[in-house]
Amino acid sequence: MVPRSRGGLHVWDNVVAACRRCNAKKMDRTPAEAGYHLSRQPFAPSDGFRLTLGHLEPGWEPFLG
């Protein structure tokens, strides 16, 4: 995973959700550099409904194919 500040892309395989405090602590380092480990590798969801909660957010359309 490459931080966006270091040229990483905003794609499913490179972005994970983090609370504001953890994201600020990680800063522009990789999870390994920050001493974090992921419980599982990021992946593109196969079911867009899980993200839409019953309605499609227009900003999400490009990611849900």
Side-chain angles (χ1 to χ4, degrees):
M1 297 187 55
V2 179
R4 292 183 65 198
S5 63
R6 290 162 66 180
L9 301 177
H10 190 79
V11 295
W12 286 111
D13 295 342
N14 195 52
V15 177
V16 296
C19 71
R20 189 178 298 244
R21 184 171 138 207
C22 288
N23 193 47
K25 182 180 174 185
K26 188 179 95 42
M27 297 172 51
D28 68 343
R29 299 176 289 177
T30 67
E33 290 169 347
Y36 291 141
H37 70 277
L38 300 176
S39 57
R40 63 180 179 196
Q41 288 294 83
F43 62 94
S46 59
D47 179 5
F49 184 77
R50 289 186 299 165
L51 296 175
T52 63
L53 301 175
H55 65 283
L56 183 62
E57 294 289 335
W60 295 351
E61 277 186 68
F63 304 105
L64 298 176

